[in-house]
């Protein structure tokens, strides 16, 4: 199994649909992340689950809803999205300690989302 | 203000040329971490290097080398004798200790190596 897997790899949905993105990490890490990657923009951190606490970017619309049932799985639930939400959604994981500082994050291949 | 600036949007080089990708960062923390990632066309970001703010020693790994200069807040990445497989988008990122899980990424530099 590769380190971080994401399904589906491609998703096309209408604005009224509800769908979910799934991420699974096989690295034994204790932190997981969702990022949005749009063309010509820096990667945007959407949500972090670290040591079982959730941290979110307050600018993320409520139509994106994360779920982290355990340290290996992360979901991003999508509902009533807008065309501007079309982007590559990347999941990442890392092993975080209590002393602060950041260890490298390992990324999945991403889900290419198109909202019609 | 953007914390990580990669001013070079796109670079093209001919195979076997050396190329340097620039990264300038901004932080008021004394303890921070810098990273470089490679994103090939497949989409997955691949970790290349992590450097903490107290270690200014330059690092070399095969054809890759990194030049960290705190005086100019730069963390540049050089590929020596470039190859077609080096074609990708390269991202520089910053993480500050006080926001340990938050990575600030630059907008990336798209490198094309022409055979």
């Amino acid at each position: 199994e590769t380190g971080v897997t994401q399904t589906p790899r491609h998703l096309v949905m209408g604005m009224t649909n509800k769908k979910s993105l799934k991420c699974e990490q096989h690295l034994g890490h204790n932190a997981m992340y969702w990022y949005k990657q749009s063309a010509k923009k820096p990667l945007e951190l959407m949500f972090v689950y670290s040591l079982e606490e959730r941290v979110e970017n307050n600018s993320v619309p409520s139509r994106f809803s994360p779920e982290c049932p355990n340290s290996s799985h992360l979901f991003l639930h999508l509902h009533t999205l807008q065309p501007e939400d079309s982007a590559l959604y990347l999941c990442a994981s890392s092993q975080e300690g209590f002393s602060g500082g950041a260890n490298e994050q390992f990324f999945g291949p991403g889900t290419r989302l198109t909202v019609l | 203000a953007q914390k990580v600036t990669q001013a070079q949007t796109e670079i093209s080089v001919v195979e076997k040329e050396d190329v340097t990708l620039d990264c300038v960062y901004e932080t008021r923390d004394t303890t921070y971490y810098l990273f470089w990632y490679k994103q090939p066309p497949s989409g997955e970001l691949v970790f290349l290097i992590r450097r903490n703010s107290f270690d200014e020693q330059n690092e070399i790994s095969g054809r890759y080398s990194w030049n960290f200069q705190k005086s100019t807040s730069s963390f540049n990445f050089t590929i020596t004798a470039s190859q077609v497989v080096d074609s990708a988008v390269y991202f520089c990122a910053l993480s500050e200790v006080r926001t340990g899980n938050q990575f600030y990424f630059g907008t990336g530099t798209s490198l094309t190596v022409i055979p």
Side-chain angles (χ1 to χ4, degrees):
Chain A
E1 283 279 14
T2 55
V4 181
T5 57
Q6 289 186 243
T7 55
R9 294 293 309 275
H10 300 271
L11 178 62
V12 179
M13 59 188 289
M15 290 191 285
T16 57
N17 291 157
K18 289 184 180 181
K19 297 286 184 183
S20 295
L21 309 185
K22 178 182 176 182
C23 175
E24 185 173 357
Q25 60 97 358
H26 309 275
L27 301 168
H29 289 163
N30 59 10
M32 296 186 76
Y33 312 79
W34 279 116
Y35 286 89
K36 176 183 179 182
Q37 185 177 25
S38 304
K40 309 297 183 186
K41 292 183 180 179
L43 269 75
E44 175 189 352
L45 178 65
M46 300 176 73
F47 301 102
V48 179
Y49 278 86
S50 177
L51 302 171
E52 300 184 2
E53 288 188 3
R54 173 173 135 183
V55 177
E56 58 190 272
N57 181 343
N58 290 329
S59 67
V60 176
S62 59
R63 54 186 183 267
F64 294 92
S65 174
E67 179 189 359
C68 189
N70 55 60
S71 60
S72 299
H73 294 86
L74 184 65
F75 295 89
L76 186 63
H77 303 300
L78 317 170
H79 63 99
T80 58
L81 294 191
Q82 304 298 310
E84 60 263 29
D85 297 322
S86 299
L88 181 67
Y89 288 85
L90 292 162
C91 173
S93 71
S94 69
Q95 182 63 28
E96 297 303 320
F98 294 94
S99 59
N103 291 319
E104 55 270 27
Q105 296 181 10
F106 292 84
F107 285 80
T111 295
R112 175 68 63 185
L113 174 66
T114 302
V115 181
L116 301 176
Chain B
Q2 203 161 319
K3 283 185 173 285
V4 178
T5 301
Q6 294 180 257
Q8 304 151 308
T9 306
E10 297 180 0
I11 300 177
S12 292
V13 297
V14 176
E15 200 170 20
K16 297 184 183 176
E17 287 184 345
D18 299 348
V19 58
T20 295
L21 309 182
D22 297 334
C23 174
V24 174
Y25 62 92
E26 179 183 331
T27 181
R28 283 186 271 183
D29 283 18
T30 56
T31 305
Y32 52 89
Y33 297 81
L34 295 164
F35 302 80
W36 274 96
Y37 283 84
K38 173 183 180 180
Q39 187 177 36
S42 60
E44 183 173 339
L45 271 79
V46 177
F47 165 75
L48 296 178
I49 190 171
R50 170 183 183 259
R51 176 54 56 85
N52 75 56
S53 53
F54 297 108
D55 182 5
E56 282 194 77
Q57 203 168 11
N58 290 332
E59 182 158 339
I60 298 174
S61 176
R63 297 184 297 107
Y64 295 169
S65 62
W66 290 269
N67 184 358
F68 177 28
Q69 292 197 343
K70 289 178 77 169
S71 60
T72 55
S73 297
S74 65
F75 187 43
N76 297 337
F77 173 31
T78 298
I79 302 174
T80 303
S82 59
Q83 300 176 1
V84 173
V85 293
D86 296 326
S87 297
V89 181
Y90 291 85
F91 292 93
C92 180
L94 163 73
S95 177
E96 299 159 321
V97 168
R98 61 185 174 87
T99 59
N101 300 119
Q102 172 108 20
F103 272 40
Y104 300 95
F105 281 89
T107 50
T109 297
S110 177
L111 173 65
T112 300
V113 180
I114 303 166

